[in-house]
């Protein structure tokens, strides 16, 4: 016998659930304070697209939503010079649409622009923020940010932390996760030849959750040797990960036909996706391996 | 396939268009009434369980809650179902699927109603879930209904298949599986139910058959039919899914209990869980060919999963049985169909009505046989195709038709052109293939089923000619069709006309807006009403003006006489005619039945339409994904009434079936939906469809055909899946037997063939 | 927390906020819960029912409106996020009974059937053509990727947009 819900016999008249309260702090310390005060009853919100989706799917809103949208420092782009290197700082509150329209991103980090093009729809991108996509932990821009060696800057109540994307994403699981304030993109290394790509495979052509996302940034020197490589894959409910083994295998290599099979096997081993009712992990692996190998094959001709 | 037809000029802009493109049109879910409450339905927590108790006290005490109803509050029959009422309105002791309703609440706001639902405490005892239709009839399987889990059996036997198989030189046997497609009308079920001061009830809820809803509601509410008015139009799509009752009984019960208007508009999630789906089927076909290339034996077994309640399950099964030989002449046939009850949602009516499922299997057989025989697949079809006056598929006489040959010939020519097209492949990991398929599809409900139709013409006091039909506008364009046919037949202009549909207080019963029958019925009604109606007007005109009746005719603006140069000379306007006549309004109405076969063969159809599809696909060898790049159709369905509407039906039906083939499945596991919304239940987006689709309308009918235009609501959706499946086989050699096509299986096949050298074959 | 403008004067027992909006160029003030969805405010509070609802999760585009000139899903937007913005709904696209050329194109090319997706579709096309008057096939596919239509198979919608593109390229 199962009771879906205990009948309430206390005699106390029922009431509606407490309505959610919205806080719109104007600086980070305040936001942090609010979160500390309300603990697990509070949640940050930026574009709110994910939160709204989850609400409709049956996750009730937190009692306190701490909106970061009035914190000016979280907005927009800054061009930075750091030891002669050009960097772009993207405020965590910047919408994906604004990122997509940014001329620097288009020119210097085109695979990020490509990744963004594949997130949701234009209307969703007009509200969804890049910070929200990273904090989503499975967002499609994450693999691109990983291979571009982007840095996540976050605020833990007292200091600003600088981490790689993977480390920051890990921290989001924690109870008091630091507020993501910005993403910094370093100018990507250049060399004789660059192989970079972002691929998303879903069950439909567009506007679709990913089955597999892969991103890669590779530099090849004059002698055809891989001298720099960053490779990452995600998809489904699995958080995107760098494929270190595969990277190591390719590093310093002048690729020949025979290496492709080995690379294929390595990706199959290293990339650990999950199954869902529609797609098996096996399929995800094969697709990731196929897509990656087909791109590296281009280096051989 | 491209020259412009006369009918393409018959291209009226739809009368409901301006209000639709501007957002002014009020759908029934947009309505708002003073003191209106919001209703919510509490549905089962389990796919199969016994209800031990229901406690609503707490919900009732929540501030803002105005009514809570359970089975105790159903005054009449606590059940519904178009044919057999076996679905409880509000469950008393057993729930049989996750959409079963146990209680309903009306409150001041949606949130209150929703929260009140969560306060209703129901004790269940979960029962074993019957989720595999193949096991539904097993001795050990729990019985979902008193008579067990067998809903219906249907068969067709002809000749001796067993003997004939011995004479075959080639036999193909295959089992095909098709999914639980969701209608996914963009407007989910809903509307407002209003208790009127005179103790009547007005039900503003979209449906495909207002009179049927009225009958069912009267039975549930124990209220005379005359006291219920159904306003059932317009609808934001239906495709068969809103033919059965959905939220009407709950809205009505709550409105009566609270004495206030109650609005229910289901969320998408509620719609997925409670709504009808297309029948999933498992179809095994064994088909054999003799040395002369003629098919001589065809054995078919159909297992259909109707889910928890019968609705139109039996009729759909019979339709599938009838259509399992398609347009081919086969001397020995043994078709057996079974539909069973399970706890897998409820399957019911859906555009194509069982034809799409069985056509996928049949055309799959045709392609496999042609492949084995190494002959052109269309030639093979031609070789086995029916002739003009051939008897119908289950031995009944049918209206004479060349449609099968016409569409086959058209698609063959089109294929030749397509093959010649230069195709530059975008990259080396993409390959293309072309597939074709044809089909034959019955219109109307079939022999032995009540299939009445009717209409009314009336000259109103205002001088407007009112054309009233009991059809509903669900997007298919029936308003435009009525406008076109009436103005053409009467010679009047659009501004002389007022069209009334979808309101039981204003229109005669025209039967259901289903089975591609609307267009056909309007045309037939006009054939019957034109003469008497014009006669009424002309006699009156003669009396009033003195102009001889034989010179008068109905024209633009009023009665006219035609001069020698063909010009219409106005004699008296409709307005003058109406106002100067002292008697009551001039009215003509008609009641008749959809034309059926003269042979008493149950469910046999009489009027058929034909379709042929060409699909070209691009298969990605790295992912196994299939993209349709061409989806062109040739259709033979008689004269085109409205070209824009016709093309729209074919393109829309085609894309809906593209979804069926590649994307759509309301996947269930242990009686629970794995897809709850449009993020996991995928319908095609704009990126998934060919940017241009060709529609060739073949309008010629055999000489002296008295039946006029046939409907095209379904035909564009029927033969798409097999064409795409064949295209995939052409591209990569993989024979699809299960829909939606699994990219994973395609990729496994590609890997097995080692098209990309580094891959390993997947297990 | 006095520095933070924790939404207006919201106190424990008053769960509503005053929402100030400009809708179709008219100033509008409503009292709603700060987390109410914009789509419900439009449809239920203001009876601007031209904006539709179908999925409620941003997956269909039926609820598309413009906020400060940008296309957004009204079902994903909460009341507080819309405060002080200027919103254009389908009702604001055709003024004084005069249809927008986009709406005429939909009408004449069969860009709708049941019409339920149409208001959202028209909004998305409007935004597209404002940004790219002569869109390519790719532009069209991208711009309308968030708007689902179950009836038309997109054929008529594509023809309507292409016709606008052709007209716009003549004008230039
Ligand atoms: C229809 C639809 C389609 C989608 N399609 C895709 C897709 O294709 N690919 C994809 O990757 N995603 C997709 N998403 C998920 C999408 O919501 C996110 O990718 C989006 O970027 C989230 O941004 P947001 O600003 O709306 O986040 P919110 O909803 O505001 O927040 C998301 C989460 O991140 C936390 N958070 C947000 N910002 C910060 C911050 N600065 N510091 C700390 N925590 C923070 C919030 O507390 C919350 O838990 C889709 C969502 C919808 C509704
Ligand atoms: S209802 Fe908002 S996108 Fe579907
Ligand atoms: S016209 Fe019906 S959904 Fe688009």
């Amino acid at each position: 016998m199962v009771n879906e819900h205990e009948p309430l016999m206390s005699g106390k008249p029922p009431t509606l659930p407490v309505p959610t309260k919205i806080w719109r702090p104007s600086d980070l310390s305040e936001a942090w304070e609010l979160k500390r005060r309300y603990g697990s009853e509070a949640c940050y919100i930026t574009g709110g697209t994910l939160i709204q989706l989850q609400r409709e799917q049956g996750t009730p809103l937190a009692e306190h939503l701490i909106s970061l949208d009035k914190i000016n420092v979280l907005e927009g782009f800054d061009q930075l010079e750091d030891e002669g290197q050009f960097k772009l700082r993207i405020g965590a509150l910047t919408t994906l649409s604004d990122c997509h329209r940014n001329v620097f991103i288009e020119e210097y980090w085109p695979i990020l622009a490509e990744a963004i093009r594949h997130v949701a729809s234009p209307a969703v991108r007009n509200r969804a923020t890049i910070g929200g996509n990273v904090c989503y932990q499975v967002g499609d821009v994450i693999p691109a940010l990983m291979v571009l060696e982007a840095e996540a800057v976050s605020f833990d109540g007292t200091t600003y932390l600088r981490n790689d994307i993977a480390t920051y994403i890990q921290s989001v699981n924690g109870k008091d996760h630091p507020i993501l304030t910005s993403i910094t993109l370093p100018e990507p290394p250049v060399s004789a030849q660059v192989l970079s790509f972002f691929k998303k495979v879903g069950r439909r052509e567009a506007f679709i959750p990913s089955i597999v996302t892969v991103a890669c940034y590779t530099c090849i020197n004059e002698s055809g040797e891989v001298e720099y490589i960053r490779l990452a894959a995600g998809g489904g409910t699995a958080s995107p990960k760098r494929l270190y083994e595969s990277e190591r295998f390719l590093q310093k290599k002048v690729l020949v036909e025979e290496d492709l099979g080995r690379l294929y096997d390595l990706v199959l081993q290293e990339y650990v996706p999950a199954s869902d009712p529609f797609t098996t992990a096996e399929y995800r692996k094969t697709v990731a391996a196929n897509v990656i190998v087909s791109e590296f094959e281009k280096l051989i001709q | 396939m491209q020259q412009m037809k006369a009918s393409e000029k018959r291209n009226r802009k739809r009368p409901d268009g301006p209000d639709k493109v501007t957002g002014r049109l009020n759908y029934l879910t947009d309505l708002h009434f003073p003191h209106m409450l919001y209703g919510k339905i509490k549905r089962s927590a389990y796919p199969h369980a016994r209800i031990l108790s229901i406690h609503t006290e707490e919900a009732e005490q929540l501030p803002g809650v105005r009514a809570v109803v359970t089975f105790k509050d159903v005054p009449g029959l606590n059940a519904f179902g178009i044919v057999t009422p076996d679905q409880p309105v509000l469950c008393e002791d057993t729930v049989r699927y996750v959409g079963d309703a146990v209680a309903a609440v009306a409150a001041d706001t949606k949130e209150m109603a929703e929260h009140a639902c969560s306060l209703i405490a129901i004790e269940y005892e979960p029962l074993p879930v019957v989720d595999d239709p193949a096991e539904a009839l097993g001795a050990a399987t729990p019985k979902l209904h008193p008579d067990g889990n067998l809903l219906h059996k249907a068969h067709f036997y002809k000749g001796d298949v067993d003997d004939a198989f011995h004479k075959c030189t080639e036999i193909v046997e295959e089992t095909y599986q098709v999914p639980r497609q969701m209608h996914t009308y963009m407007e989910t079920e809903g509307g407002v139910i209003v208790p009127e001061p005179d103790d009547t009830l007005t039900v503003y809820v979209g449906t495909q058959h207002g009179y049927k809803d009225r009958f069912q509601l009267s039975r549930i509410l124990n209220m005379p039919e005359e006291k219920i008015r159904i306003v059932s139009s317009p609808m934001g799509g239906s495709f068969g899914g809103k033919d059965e009752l959905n939220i009407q009984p709950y809205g009505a019960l709550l409105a009566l209990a609270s004495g206030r208007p109650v609005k229910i508009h289901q969320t998408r999630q509620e719609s997925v869980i409670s709504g009808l789906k297309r029948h999933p089927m498992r179809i095994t076909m064994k088909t054999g060919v003799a040395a002369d290339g003629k098919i001589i034996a065809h054995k078919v077994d159909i297992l259909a999963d109707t889910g928890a309640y019968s609705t139109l399950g039996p009729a759909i099964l019979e339709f599938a049985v009838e259509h399992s030989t398609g347009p081919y002449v086969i001397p020995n046939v043994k078709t057996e169909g079974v539909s069973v009850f399970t706890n897998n949602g409820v399957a019911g009516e859906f555009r194509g009505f069982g034809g799409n499922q069985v056509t996928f299997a049949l055309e799959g057989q045709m392609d496999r046989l042609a492949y084995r025989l190494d002959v052109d697949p269309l030639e093979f079809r031609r070789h086995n195709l029916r002739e003009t006056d051939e008897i119908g598929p289950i031995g009944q006489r049918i209206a004479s038709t060349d449609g099968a040959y016409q569409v086959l010939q058209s698609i063959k020519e089109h294929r030749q052109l397509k093959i010649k097209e230069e195709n530059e492949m975008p990259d080396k990991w993409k390959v293309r293939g072309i597939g074709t398929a044809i089909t034959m599809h019955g219109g109307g409900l079939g022999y032995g089923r009540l299939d009445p139709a009717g209409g009314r013409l009336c000259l109103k006091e205002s001088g407007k000619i009112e054309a009233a039909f009991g059809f509903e506008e669900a997007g298919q364009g029936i308003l435009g069709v009525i406008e076109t046919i009436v103005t053409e037949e009467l010679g009047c202009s659009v501004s002389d006309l007022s069209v009334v549909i979808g309101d039981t207080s204003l229109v005669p019963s025209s039967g259901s807006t289903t089975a591609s029958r609307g267009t056909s019925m309007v045309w037939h009604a006009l054939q019957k009403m034109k003469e008497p109606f014009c006669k009424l007007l002309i006699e009156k005109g003669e009396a009033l003006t003195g102009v001889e009746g034989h010179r008068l005719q109905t024209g633009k603006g009023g009665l006219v006489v035609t001069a020698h140069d063909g010009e219409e000379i106005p004699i008296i306007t409709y307005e003058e005619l109406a106002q100067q006549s002292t008697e009551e309004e001039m009215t003509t109405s008609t009641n008749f039945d959809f034309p059926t076969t003269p042979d008493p063969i149950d469910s046999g159809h009489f009027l058929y339409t034909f379709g042929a599809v060409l699909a070209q696909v691009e298969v990605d060898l790295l992912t196994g994904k299939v993209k349709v790049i061409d989806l062109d159709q040739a259709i033979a369905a008689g004269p085109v009434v409205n070209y824009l509407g016709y093309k729209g039906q074919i393109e829309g039906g085609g894309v809906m079936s593209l979804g069926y083939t590649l994307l759509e499945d309301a996947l269930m596991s242990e009686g629970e939906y794995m897809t709850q919304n449009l993020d996991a239940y995928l319908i095609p987006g704009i990126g998934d469809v060919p940017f241009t689709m060709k529609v060739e309308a073949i309008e010629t009918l055999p000489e002296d055909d008295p039946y006029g235009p046939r409907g095209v609501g379904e035909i564009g959706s029927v033969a798409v899946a097999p064409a795409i499946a064949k295209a995939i086989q052409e591209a990569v050699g993989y024979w699809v037997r299960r829909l939606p096509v699994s990219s994973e299986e395609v990729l496994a096949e590609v890997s097995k063939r080692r098209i990309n050298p580094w891959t390993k074959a997947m297990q | 927390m006095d520095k933070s403008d924790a939404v207006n004067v919201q106190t424990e027992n008053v769960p509503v906020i005053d929402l100030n909006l400009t809708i179709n160029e008219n100033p509008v003030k409503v009292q709603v819960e700060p987390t109410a969805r914009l789509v419900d405010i439009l449809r239920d509070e203001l009876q601007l029912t031209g904006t539709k609802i179908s999925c409620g999760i941003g997956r269909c585009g039926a609820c598309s409106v413009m906020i400060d000139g940008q296309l957004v899903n009204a079902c994903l937007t909460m009341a507080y996020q819309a405060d002080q913005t200027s919103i254009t709904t389908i009702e604001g696209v055709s003024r004084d009974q005069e249809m927008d050329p986009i709406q005429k194109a939909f009408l004449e090319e069969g860009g709708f059937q049941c019409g339920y997706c149409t208001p959202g579709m028209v909004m998305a096309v409007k935004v597209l053509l404002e940004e790219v008057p002569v869109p390519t096939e790719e532009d069209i596919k991208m711009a309308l990727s968030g708007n689902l239509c179950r009836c038309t198979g997109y054929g008529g919608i594509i023809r309507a947009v292409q016709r606008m593109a052709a007209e716009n390229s003549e004008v230039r």
Side-chain angles (χ1 to χ4, degrees), chain B residues 186, chain C residues 112-115 117 149-151:
Chain B
M186 281 291 123
Chain C
F112 68 93
Q113 285 176 25
C114 80
C117 71
C149 173
R150 189 52 153 174
C151 299

Side-chain angles (χ1 to χ4, degrees), chain B residues 34 40 56 72 74 88 94 96 98-99 102 132 157 279 283 319 397 402 467 487 564 600 689 723 725:
Chain B
K40 276 273 165 199
T56 57
K72 293 187 195 130
V74 181
T94 312
R96 298 182 184 83
V98 286
V102 184
D132 181 355
Y157 302 137
H279 277 73
I283 303 167
F319 196 95
R397 269 173 286 168
D402 264 338
T487 51
H564 293 300
V689 306

Side-chain angles (χ1 to χ4, degrees), chain B residues 698-711:
Chain B
I698 299 165
E699 299 187 70
T700 48
L701 289 170
E703 226 169 297
D704 299 331
D705 176 276
Y707 305 109
R710 315 336 191 202

